[in-house]
Amino acid sequence: MSGDAGKPVQGRRGRRAADATPVNVRLSRAALELFSRKGFDATGIREIGAHAGVSTSMIYHYLSSKDEALSDLVLEGLSRHGQALQDACAIVDRPEERLAALIGVQVIIPIKHPQMGQLLQQELHARDWSDHPSISRQRARTNRLWTDVLARGQAEGVFTFGSASLARIALMRSTTLVTQWYQADGALGLETVAAQFADLALGTVRAHRDGRPLRFDDLQAPSITRLVEVVEKAHRDVWW
């Protein structure tokens, strides 16, 4: 992502086919479905074209390689994710509320967008993205947002932990498997799952005020319903 922090980024494949169907979107959807289901290494660029109904000769007019497809997808997913995290923090003030907002968004996004959630889970930490500065900058912004919330809570005496970096990693990674076990028709709905994760996050940093532990139910904001609205706004025009 280049200049504007917080603005969702569209991939490079922004051209339309001669007919009414956007070929770039068909290719992107095919790549996302195949990468999230089979994995990047097990998917070939011709398979992406076949899945999208695009001829081999046409593919390379829109897509130079499957690596380009993956980097575009990761950047788009991270950009929307980062926007939702920033927006969620903006609607609350106290560090415990912001931590609940961050962890809530971390849970809600993969539930609402499971294919993209699965892709990011599989590929984001498995590859070296140092050659992709836009992706590296977006990851750094997200990490800094989490660290700032944790550091503020610690400075105000609301959170108690040793390393902010370790706390951040533990909290962010705690939600990475949501796409593997969450079921929309399961016993626990989205609001219950997100609220319990927020509660666990507060416990992880031993959040407290006035000599007593803080639970998610103690917070005036944010509500899970409001966080869902924030996520939907950040993803309102996505193609996946």
Side-chain angles (χ1 to χ4, degrees):
M1 194 165 65
S2 53
D4 300 328
K7 286 189 177 181
V9 173
Q10 300 294 331
R12 291 187 293 274
R13 305 183 303 283
R15 293 162 290 187
R16 285 182 175 269
D19 62 18
T21 303
V23 173
N24 64 302
V25 172
R26 284 158 52 193
L27 288 168
S28 294
R29 284 177 176 161
L32 177 58
E33 180 180 343
L34 292 169
F35 290 162
S36 63
R37 177 162 51 87
K38 298 178 59 177
F40 173 79
D41 292 332
T43 301
I45 189 168
R46 293 189 178 186
E47 185 179 7
I48 294 171
H51 199 71
V54 178
S55 67
T56 302
S57 60
M58 180 69 76
I59 294 174
Y60 294 101
H61 182 65
Y62 293 90
L63 193 62
S64 63
S65 67
K66 70 172 188 175
D67 295 85
E68 180 190 354
L70 178 63
S71 61
D72 276 4
L73 289 170
V74 168
L75 180 56
E76 290 187 43
L78 281 180
S79 176
R80 302 292 180 161
H81 194 115
Q83 182 69 63
L85 291 172
Q86 291 181 20
D87 291 348
C89 282
I91 65 173
V92 291
D93 181 53
R94 288 186 166 189
E96 62 267 34
E97 295 172 341
R98 291 191 170 182
L99 179 59
L102 288 174
I103 203 74
V105 167
Q106 288 278 121
V107 173
I108 293 166
I109 288 179
I111 288 177
K112 289 287 188 179
H113 303 278
Q115 283 190 335
M116 181 59 77
Q118 181 72 14
L119 175 75
L120 294 178
Q121 174 200 317
Q122 292 173 178
E123 306 297 342
L124 187 58
H125 303 291
R127 301 182 181 280
D128 180 7
W129 296 100
S130 58
D131 291 337
H132 297 80
S134 294
I135 293 175
S136 297
R137 284 194 296 269
Q138 183 59 60
R139 294 182 74 182
R141 276 191 289 269
T142 297
N143 290 344
R144 189 162 54 247
L145 180 61
W146 278 84
T147 300
D148 288 348
V149 169
L150 291 168
R152 179 185 164 196
Q154 189 177 48
E156 293 183 7
V158 180
F159 300 161
T160 302
F161 52 80
S163 165
S165 177
L166 184 59
R168 172 185 61 78
I169 292 170
L171 290 167
M172 293 178 72
R173 294 295 183 90
S174 70
T175 64
T176 56
L177 298 179
V178 169
T179 56
Q180 294 186 12
W181 57 260
Y182 179 81
Q183 296 182 355
D185 58 352
L188 299 177
L190 183 153
E191 290 206 11
T192 299
V193 170
Q196 289 194 18
F197 264 90
D199 211 36
L200 290 168
L202 293 169
T204 298
V205 299
R206 288 173 280 179
H208 59 279
R209 278 191 185 274
D210 302 322
R212 58 184 292 270
L214 283 171
R215 304 293 300 272
F216 181 66
D217 287 344
D218 296 326
L219 307 184
Q220 294 185 356
S223 69
I224 301 303
T225 300
R226 183 71 180 92
L227 293 179
V228 170
E229 292 173 354
V230 167
V231 168
E232 289 178 343
K233 180 180 178 182
H235 292 77
R236 65 184 178 275
D237 57 347
V238 296
W239 49 261
W240 63 78

